Amino acid sequence: MKPERNTESTARRTARTTAKSSALRKTDTSVVQAAVPRYLGELDRRGGLRGTDIANITDVSKATVSRWRSGEIKPRPRNELILSDLYYVVGRLQEYYAPDEIRLWLYARHPQLDGKRAIDLINRDRTIDVLNVIDRLDNDVYV
């Protein structure tokens, strides 16, 4: 009988471990999915960026952004990076501008960006160029 008990207790431990691992994976996923709607809400509140703006910047449909916002799906890694960069840029711009001004700043063509728009550069993984212009604001050298 003892070998059967060991087998039974091993099976129970394995089942508990599997259940815990599954629960942790679900928690990790829900934390990531919860972060995206929070970021989107912050981008709206702090940067004046609506779902349509996010869709334009990330090259997805408004319906996809809506599903991100509801937590139904999460963005692909490339779009997570774009959202993260956008969130950082909006945070930096918030030091100088109101939300509606931030939105306009992101959409405007800038001489310091060779006539390009900040949202296009963020989409093309050139956020550093945008941040360099913001650094000029920090140093009062913005023309």
Side-chain angles (χ1 to χ4, degrees), residues 17-31:
T17 302
T18 302
K20 285 180 185 176
S21 294
S22 177
L24 284 175
R25 278 194 302 273
K26 286 179 185 174
T27 300
D28 290 345
T29 302
S30 66
V31 167

Side-chain angles (χ1 to χ4, degrees), residues 125-141:
D125 197 26
R126 292 184 48 203
T127 303
I128 194 72
D129 296 338
V130 176
L131 293 173
N132 286 338
V133 171
I134 296 171
D135 286 342
R136 291 184 199 140
L137 289 171
D138 289 337
N139 297 321
D140 294 326
V141 230

